Amino acid sequence: MNTRICASSGPGEIRIAVTGNGRMLDFALWRPDMADGVGDIYRAPVSAHVPALGGTFITLPGQEQAGFLPDSEGLGPLTQGQAVLVTVTRSAQGGKGVRLGARNLPSNLPGGAEPKLLRRGLTPLERLAHQYPDAPIVIDDAHVATLIPATLHPRITRATSAFDSELRAQADALEDPVVALPGGMSASITPTPALVAIDMDGGATSADRRPKQTAQFAANRDALPDLLHQLRLRNLSGAIIVDVAGLAIRKRKALGETFGAALAHDPLRPRFLGFTALGLAEIVRPRVHPPLHELLHAREGRLLRALRVRMQADRGMPSSGQPVRLGCGYGIMQLLQDHPAWMEDFTRLTGRMLQPVTDQTLPANGWRFDHD
């Protein structure tokens, strides 16, 4: 398989896709100045033990939220103010805070007693490079090389655009809650605070000349591998239910082997739990990194998408020498001030300066590009 890791740079974020034989195998969204913290190791003080929750809150230096260390991590009785070594095992997501662990930490950590960040976790690009050790890394912005270890530099190749039009379309499709599936089928993905609900729709199966249930079973069986691969590409996690299309409840159990086989290649090892009395397939996929929809729909994600679209429109166009003016509500202005690298990225990638201007007619989190 001709596998490649393609890193497409935009203001504030890098979209990373692993491809092989024209298919997207993996996807990650990397925001260098907004790391999710997974894998970071801290020496940090105990804040409070909460027996009712079965764990201890740990104050992480430099972080706004405390992390939660379950009692099952085996550190024993902890006292307030005691310094412990912990690592982030799950990022803050879905309204829940950072989850911590204390097992299998490296032995060569810096000594001392001062609470601090001891070691950063791997970046998304590093994680995928380790997962696909023989794949070349294609970048379209030389700045990316400064963000990764020198050991990965021999694998880097430079391209005008890391994503061709087909790969860009596949990446853009991950933002759509409706997924096109083989056989004319489709699925609607609806994340909720409690779970992710997926509803499959039959589409072209009505034209099948075989008996209805035979046709429905075959259509679901053939579409499920592509649908379940979306869990990995979109990083959908936690409780997931799937309502397959048109198949009688009593017949759905026969799809269990298809579910199990399709999930077997996922490195997070999701579990297929079977079907409910209503015929809904139940899946549990571990929460580690934030799901893609959460990253995209947050205020930061919506702004960065707008900057990426504008960057793509300006790239390759003759420069007028004039800055790109961005009218901002006060919340967006504060966000850009907190992340100056986003404006630096825009200038480097387009050759035009991004000039944010406060616009009091806009809502706090509103923005608009002024016409050139």
Side-chain angles (χ1 to χ4, degrees):
M1 183 178 292
N2 184 22
T3 306
R4 301 193 305 166
I5 301 171
C6 303
S8 176
S9 293
E13 64 184 17
I14 302 164
R15 298 198 294 176
I16 308 170
V18 182
T19 67
N21 294 340
R23 182 171 186 252
M24 186 184 292
L25 306 177
D26 257 312
F27 183 83
L29 194 60
W30 179 18
R31 294 175 181 163
D33 65 350
M34 296 183 70
D36 62 27
V38 173
D40 290 356
I41 300 175
Y42 291 89
R43 182 186 301 112
V46 170
S47 175
H49 180 240
V50 186
L53 297 179
T56 300
F57 285 102
I58 308 293
T59 301
L60 300 178
Q63 300 298 311
E64 297 179 358
Q65 290 183 320
F68 184 75
L69 178 71
D71 288 342
S72 59
E73 289 298 301
L75 286 188
L78 299 174
T79 59
Q80 187 173 4
Q82 176 184 351
V84 294
L85 294 176
V86 293
T87 184
V88 177
T89 59
R90 187 186 73 190
S91 67
Q93 54 185 279
K96 296 180 173 64
V98 170
R99 180 68 61 90
L100 303 174
R103 301 179 186 275
N104 303 318
L105 296 178
S107 58
N108 59 342
L109 295 172
E114 178 188 0
K116 63 179 180 179
L117 172 65
L118 301 177
R119 183 177 297 178
R120 286 285 186 193
L122 298 179
T123 67
L125 184 53
E126 289 174 82
R127 290 198 308 271
L128 291 171
H130 290 176
Q131 190 174 335
Y132 299 90
D134 299 322
I137 301 170
V138 182
I139 65 175
D140 51 21
D141 176 16
H143 181 66
V144 173
T146 69
L147 304 176
I148 61 177
T151 53
L152 294 179
H153 289 182
R155 294 170 58 180
I156 290 177
T157 59
R158 182 82 183 271
T160 303
S161 178
F163 282 16
D164 60 21
S165 58
E166 181 179 351
L167 185 55
R168 188 178 302 114
Q170 291 181 47
D172 289 345
L174 296 178
E175 303 180 22
D176 193 335
V178 178
V179 181
L181 298 172
M185 297 188 70
S186 64
S188 299
I189 300 175
T190 306
T192 76
L195 51 79
V196 177
I198 302 178
D199 179 46
M200 298 179 69
D201 182 66
T205 57
S206 58
D208 197 306
R209 294 177 177 271
R210 291 175 293 181
K212 179 179 178 182
Q213 289 299 296
T214 301
Q216 290 286 4
F217 178 85
N220 282 287
R221 179 198 61 207
D222 295 344
L224 276 171
D226 277 40
L227 172 61
L228 297 178
H229 187 56
Q230 291 288 318
L231 306 187
R232 180 172 178 174
L233 296 179
R234 298 169 184 243
N235 195 28
L236 298 170
S237 305
I240 302 168
I241 60 170
V242 181
D243 186 12
V244 301
L247 197 61
I249 291 176
R250 68 183 183 277
K251 303 241 182 220
R252 297 185 179 198
K253 289 184 179 180
L255 289 170
E257 184 177 342
T258 302
F259 274 93
L263 295 172
H265 303 293
D266 190 322
L268 289 186
R269 300 185 181 278
R271 290 181 295 140
F272 170 62
L273 303 181
F275 290 89
T276 70
L278 293 175
L280 302 175
E282 292 185 296
I283 299 168
V284 174
R285 190 170 186 269
R287 299 181 189 270
V288 180
H289 300 279
L292 184 60
H293 64 264
E294 193 169 299
L295 295 173
L296 294 174
H297 295 161
R299 176 182 63 163
E300 296 85 355
R302 290 183 283 111
L303 176 60
L304 290 176
R305 183 185 187 280
L307 293 178
R308 184 179 77 243
V309 171
R310 180 59 191 250
M311 176 202 75
Q312 292 170 345
D314 284 0
R315 229 175 199 173
M317 299 292 289
S319 175
S320 65
Q322 297 297 315
V324 175
R325 288 172 55 90
L326 179 68
C328 303
Y330 69 85
I332 296 299
M333 179 63 76
Q334 184 63 57
L335 185 61
L336 288 170
Q337 290 173 351
D338 290 341
H339 299 280
W342 298 359
M343 292 182 283
E344 295 169 6
D345 290 344
F346 187 91
T347 299
R348 184 181 67 255
L349 294 168
T350 67
R352 299 186 66 183
M353 181 179 297
L354 182 67
Q355 184 179 56
V357 179
T358 301
D359 187 335
Q360 296 182 351
T361 67
L362 290 170
N365 292 321
W367 69 82
R368 63 174 166 234
F369 289 100
D370 289 349
H371 294 294
D372 293 338

